[in-house]
Amino acid sequence: MNGMLSRAVTGAATVARGVRDDQLDLPAPRDGFGVRELLGHLAWTAAMLEAPARREQPPPGRRMGVFGEEMPVAEDASPFERALGLSGRDPAWEP
């Protein structure tokens, strides 16, 4: 693993281990994400990176709670909008 990624993983693991159960429902620094969702995202990302090294298929994101329920998209939706819908993100959302 390259040095920068190794340091990032070590730092993230240290922070994640320090999260208490009573902190899981607190907001994370990113709007719309809680601590629980952020940790779920980190766990899924780690599984996605680890699976190829083990010559395994990565786990489905929806099963790990990374993706929400599929969102409907228009018939003429672009491939990107369809991907957003599949991942549980609203393609019509705007900041």
Side-chain angles (χ1 to χ4, degrees):
M1 185 182 323
N2 87 26
M4 189 183 306
L5 183 57
S6 181
R7 288 189 300 279
V9 168
T10 300
T14 299
V15 171
R17 280 190 208 100
V19 175
R20 300 182 316 266
D21 286 348
D22 64 321
Q23 295 174 311
L24 291 174
D25 294 320
L26 295 175
R30 171 118 198 267
D31 289 342
F33 278 90
V35 172
R36 182 184 314 273
E37 290 84 11
L38 183 56
L39 290 175
H41 173 74
L42 289 172
W44 180 72
T45 301
M48 292 295 291
L49 292 171
E50 181 183 39
R54 294 178 181 264
R55 298 179 189 260
E56 298 172 352
Q57 289 292 322
R62 190 161 281 122
R63 187 182 78 214
M64 291 186 70
V66 176
F67 301 124
E69 293 300 314
E70 187 174 336
M71 299 283 298
V73 296
E75 289 283 327
D76 61 345
S78 70
F80 179 69
E81 291 169 328
R82 289 184 188 284
L84 286 174
L86 284 171
S87 71
R89 307 305 191 259
D90 183 358
W93 181 85
E94 293 184 18

